[in-house]
Amino acid sequence: MECLHLADAVKLTAEQLDVKFDACHVCKATDSLWLCLYCGVVHCGRYVNQHGVQHYETNQDHSVCLSCENFSIYCYICDEYVTNDNQESKLEQFITTLKKHNQKRTCVEEINSTCKRLKGGPRFIGLRNLGNTCFMNAVLQSLNMISEFSRFIRQLPPTLFSTKSPQSGQRRYNTRSSSGQQDGYLVEELRKLLMELKESDNLAVSPDSFFNCIWRVVPRFRGFQQQDAHEFMRYLLDRLHSELLELAAVENAKRTKQTIVTKMFGGMLQSVVHCLVCGGKSVKFDPILDLSIDIPDRFVSRNCKKDGPACNLNDCLKSFTETEELEETELYFCNHCKERKKSTKKFSIRRLPRVLCLHLKRFRWNLHCRTKLDTWVQFPLQGLCMNEYLVASEQNRQQDFIYDLAALIVHHGSGSGCGHYTAYGRHDGDWFHFNDSSVTLCSEQIVAKSRAYILVYVRSNH
């Protein structure tokens, strides 16, 4: 977006720029460094130790900063990334100066990264931001951390996506109901992208082919405006499922209802509605690929004290499965009473998936605008037990459902249509932070104190 604060907030000149910085001025952290364009001091970002935010809060004129990693410009007042420049083209000058300095350092980093890979050490590759595509990058990196899922997609045979049937040799003709049509298969673009993330020697790769396919198959994601990461994840999984079903039918000449998507992410939700007049009940079962859960009001109310108890993920899950009385506008039509009556509703989980995606509903409509809940929710990195949220018949089984966190997505910023998405992922006990092109090793403490938007758990004892 165009920022109106550049004239007041950008006082630094390219000649005054100190390009020898390598750590936060306060805590000496080396991750996510931001240069204040008013005074030239470097601080760490809001998802490290938040010294950049604190610097702005102390000095309100120091609102515009520049990322030392990907050279994006951010304004704290607008709470959005900046796309325009001032009359003197200062921002362009800053970026040019920093890029020249970073060329030598980047070359050294690439050599070190290649050497580390040759020695067998873990190495992860970033995804370039194509213009507000951080929502997509965060989702893709999170799915890539689910090893069984990413391995399955990578191992799909390229011949599966050819225009000829591998069995008959006859040319395939996509109908209007086909997922592929003439737009190409999204699952094929995902396969190629995951292969790049696995095999490339670069520090970052561009997901442009994948994103172009997204543009073709779903108009709502066209353009470069910020999108919701959860909506994108839901659409992506649904689309992959439908395409894999279609491809399986062509490959095996028979219909199937299961794909890797439903095998890993698919669960079953049970809802029971009780009529409070006659006692009748209605039971429904709905397939799910994730759970969207509210943050309880008692943790987001303005009357809550800052030193009160922190919200825990189990508080959100218990609130989701508690019995609630339906409001007047949602009254249940009782088949016995033959009219709408007061009733209660209760959700339970009938079947848990192998990969449990929990979406914390941080965006709410308030009068005429959509606001964000920035409440911190504690979540376990390991050992999340889901037994108590199952239906009673499943709880009686001598089996525990224990999950470990594999990845999470964080939304930084205050608005639903702006801000920035990053992801964290775990590999062999180490945690990595994925911020578009940048991938850095981080501690469990940093992960645990993040304000998660989507949590991706994998069952550890199946």
Side-chain angles (χ1 to χ4, degrees):
M1 64 168 292
E2 289 199 4
C3 176
L4 303 178
H5 310 102
L6 298 183
D8 296 327
V10 181
K11 299 298 184 181
L12 195 68
T13 64
E15 292 75 19
Q16 298 171 324
L17 188 62
D18 181 7
V19 297
K20 296 181 180 179
F21 53 79
D22 57 1
C24 172
H25 177 71
V26 179
C27 66
K28 307 307 177 185
T30 58
D31 296 337
S32 183
L33 299 180
W34 290 83
L35 172 72
C36 175
L37 296 183
Y38 190 100
C39 64
V41 177
V42 175
H43 295 97
C44 60
R46 67 176 76 199
Y47 43 81
V48 181
N49 291 317
Q50 302 185 7
H51 288 125
V53 180
Q54 295 171 15
H55 178 69
Y56 157 67
E57 291 173 347
T58 307
N59 308 275
Q60 293 290 308
D61 291 335
H62 301 222
S63 61
V64 178
C65 54
L66 184 151
S67 170
C68 302
E69 295 175 349
N70 56 25
F71 312 114
S72 57
I73 313 292
Y74 191 83
C75 176
Y76 285 111
I77 298 177
C78 298
D79 197 15
E80 182 58 285
Y81 286 85
V82 178
T83 58
N84 58 309
D85 204 339
N86 59 11
Q87 294 180 349
E88 297 84 12
S89 299
K90 281 188 174 182
L91 302 185
E92 183 179 352
Q93 295 173 26
F94 291 141
I95 293 173
T96 301
T97 303
L98 286 176
K99 281 186 174 179
K100 288 181 180 178
H101 168 69
N102 277 11
Q103 282 179 351
K104 183 177 180 180
R105 188 175 66 182
T106 300
C107 181
V108 174
E109 287 176 349
E110 288 180 347
I111 293 173
N112 291 339
S113 181
T114 303
C115 292
K116 186 176 182 181
R117 185 173 187 178
L118 292 174
K119 291 178 181 178
R123 176 178 177 269
F124 292 97
I125 298 170
L127 290 170
R128 294 193 181 95
N129 193 316
L130 306 178
N132 278 333
T133 57
C134 55
F135 71 94
M136 178 183 75
N137 292 346
V139 170
L140 292 173
Q141 294 285 18
S142 297
L143 294 179
N144 192 36
M145 300 307 293
I146 306 171
S147 57
E148 185 177 349
F149 174 79
S150 60
R151 183 168 58 250
F152 177 90
I153 298 296
R154 289 197 308 270
Q155 292 176 351
L156 288 172
T159 55
L160 186 64
F161 309 99
S162 65
T163 57
K164 290 186 178 181
S165 170
Q167 292 182 344
S168 64
Q170 298 295 317
R171 185 175 180 84
R172 291 179 182 164
Y173 292 94
N174 293 316
T175 65
R176 290 182 180 270
S177 61
S178 298
S179 300
Q181 299 186 27
Q182 296 179 357
D183 298 319
Y185 285 102
L186 191 59
V187 66
E188 163 65 349
E189 295 300 332
L190 179 62
R191 184 192 70 84
K192 291 188 289 187
L193 182 59
L194 294 182
M195 289 293 291
E196 275 196 278
L197 290 176
K198 179 74 173 177
E199 299 176 353
S200 176
D201 291 325
N202 297 320
L203 293 177
V205 297
S206 176
D208 50 350
S209 295
F210 179 87
F211 194 44
N212 287 335
C213 188
I214 289 287
W215 277 28
R216 293 195 300 270
V217 300
V218 53
R220 63 154 302 179
F221 288 113
R222 290 177 185 169
F224 295 99
Q225 66 272 23
Q226 183 65 280
Q227 302 284 353
D228 184 90
H230 175 246
E231 292 178 6
F232 176 74
M233 176 180 275
R234 283 299 310 270
Y235 171 78
L236 177 59
L237 291 176
D238 285 338
R239 179 79 185 191
L240 294 177
H241 174 62
S242 62
E243 289 186 1
L244 288 170
L245 283 179
E246 178 187 324
L247 291 167
V250 174
E251 183 79 4
N252 303 318
K254 63 179 181 179
R255 292 288 178 182
T256 178
K257 295 182 179 180
Q258 284 275 24
T259 67
I260 187 65
V261 176
T262 52
K263 285 179 181 178
M264 299 203 67
F265 297 87
M268 186 70 67
L269 192 65
Q270 174 181 293
S271 62
V272 179
V273 179
H274 270 100
C275 176
L276 296 179
V277 177
C278 70
K281 70 176 182 178
S282 171
V283 181
K284 291 184 178 181
F285 303 98
D286 295 300
I288 57 170
L289 294 178
D290 65 5
L291 278 180
S292 292
I293 54 180
D294 285 298
I295 299 175
D297 288 336
R298 66 181 183 275
F299 295 105
V300 298
S301 172
R302 293 181 180 178
N303 296 326
C304 284
K305 296 181 180 179
K306 291 184 179 180
D307 57 351
C311 181
N312 190 284
L313 183 59
N314 283 307
D315 295 317
C316 302
L317 289 167
K318 288 176 182 177
S319 176
F320 178 78
T321 55
E322 284 178 349
T323 301
E324 61 172 337
E325 186 171 340
L326 298 179
E327 298 179 0
E328 293 291 331
T329 57
E330 301 175 326
L331 290 181
Y332 158 67
F333 183 85
C334 179
N335 290 326
H336 184 266
C337 300
K338 302 302 181 184
E339 59 180 322
R340 297 186 180 278
K341 293 291 185 180
K342 286 188 174 183
S343 51
T344 61
K345 188 173 186 177
K346 176 177 173 57
F347 285 113
S348 300
I349 301 174
R350 182 74 182 181
R351 186 181 73 249
L352 279 163
R354 289 159 64 182
V355 178
L356 177 64
C357 293
L358 298 176
H359 163 232
L360 294 174
K361 296 162 74 172
R362 291 194 173 275
F363 299 106
R364 293 183 180 179
W365 283 101
N366 184 12
L367 295 179
H368 302 292
C369 62
R370 200 178 180 210
T371 59
K372 180 187 174 184
L373 305 179
D374 207 33
T375 306
W376 178 55
V377 178
Q378 280 184 311
F379 52 87
L381 301 183
Q382 292 179 311
L384 173 65
C385 182
M386 292 293 295
N387 285 39
E388 63 178 294
Y389 310 113
L390 290 165
V391 296
S393 59
E394 295 294 323
Q395 289 182 14
N396 294 331
R397 294 188 178 186
Q398 299 298 319
Q399 186 179 18
D400 288 330
F401 292 85
I402 308 298
Y403 290 80
D404 293 338
L405 190 63
L408 69 149
I409 296 173
V410 181
H411 177 269
H412 311 277
S414 59
S416 59
C418 59
H420 184 57
Y421 286 100
T422 65
Y424 293 93
R426 180 170 59 90
H427 176 79
D428 289 342
D430 292 324
W431 281 96
F432 295 86
H433 183 222
F434 298 91
N435 181 12
D436 289 333
S437 299
S438 171
V439 182
T440 53
L441 190 67
C442 64
S443 66
E444 287 189 353
Q445 291 75 18
I446 290 178
V447 177
K449 70 179 182 181
S450 63
R451 286 169 167 76
Y453 181 48
I454 301 173
L455 296 159
V456 182
Y457 283 93
V458 176
R459 191 175 172 191
S460 59
N461 66 334
H462 69 281

